[in-house]
Amino acid sequence: PVARCTACAPPKAQIEGVEAVNNACDDDLPSQGLMLSGSNSGGPGGRPLVSITWSLVSFPGGQDLQDVQQAIQEANEKNELILDLPGSLLGPLALGEYTVSLTVESWLGKQGRTEHTFTKQGASVSPSACIDTPDTIVLSGGVPLAATVDSFSVCNGQKVIFFWQCVRLERNGQ
């Protein structure tokens, strides 16, 4: 067995996901689901992570979160880097802020941790848009950006306006 390393760099935990989920405009429709990805997490040595643990850290009080906790537990049992919480689980939850953490452990026993906060909003707030792009974006190469709006998040008479902004992203030191 390999001894635990005290001077080794810890793995990097990273969560990507939306910052808000909306209730459906119609009570007969499901709420928006939430998918959080820890896929860009990893250790400095390039080896697979040995442990992936999701946790619900904070939430509005006074509610039953048993189904949500069960979904998190199932992701943990499978060592999943994707946490998928469908709208059927989020619909009954209270409006407000929720914080989820991701803890990853390298083969050397070092851990990295991060948190992601999202807000559960009512149906009357801004609709949810999803930008559909490939992993590598080369704007100067003419790659078109496409966006779709989840139809359940647009209530009758609500106007949808897209605002595009180009920001520089650092990926893999480039």
Side-chain angles (χ1 to χ4, degrees):
V2 176
R4 294 200 181 258
C5 180
T6 57
C8 297
K12 179 181 177 184
Q14 183 176 339
I15 300 175
E16 294 177 0
V18 297
E19 294 178 5
V21 293
N22 295 349
N23 277 338
C25 295
D26 184 343
D27 288 338
D28 294 331
L29 297 174
S31 289
Q32 178 182 4
L34 174 70
M35 183 176 291
L36 298 177
S37 174
S39 299
N40 286 329
S41 300
R47 290 192 182 193
L49 297 166
V50 297
S51 176
I52 298 157
T53 306
W54 296 92
S55 300
L56 185 58
V57 178
S58 66
F59 49 89
Q63 55 186 324
D64 179 10
L65 297 170
Q66 183 176 357
D67 291 340
V68 173
Q69 295 287 18
Q70 179 64 34
I72 291 171
Q73 181 62 33
E74 289 173 9
N76 290 340
E77 288 172 0
K78 296 176 183 175
N79 236 20
E80 293 282 346
L81 279 169
I82 302 290
L83 178 61
D84 187 13
L85 301 174
S88 60
L89 294 181
L90 297 182
L93 298 183
L95 302 182
E97 284 194 352
Y98 294 78
T99 301
V100 175
S101 72
L102 172 63
T103 303
V104 295
E105 184 176 342
S106 72
W107 66 283
L108 292 170
K110 290 292 192 175
Q111 292 186 341
R113 184 178 182 279
T114 191
E115 294 183 350
H116 178 81
T117 299
F118 68 94
T119 303
K120 170 127 188 278
Q121 305 176 134
S124 63
V125 297
S126 299
S128 303
C130 176
I131 301 172
D132 185 19
T133 63
D135 289 338
T136 304
I137 301 169
V138 183
L139 292 177
S140 62
V143 173
L145 296 177
T148 58
V149 175
D150 293 325
S151 59
F152 68 81
S153 69
V154 181
C155 299
N156 286 337
Q158 192 174 28
K159 184 177 179 180
V160 177
I161 299 172
F162 286 93
F163 173 72
W164 295 95
Q165 182 178 9
C166 185
V167 294
R168 181 186 171 122
L169 296 177
E170 297 287 331
R171 287 205 177 203
N172 299 330
Q174 298 177 355

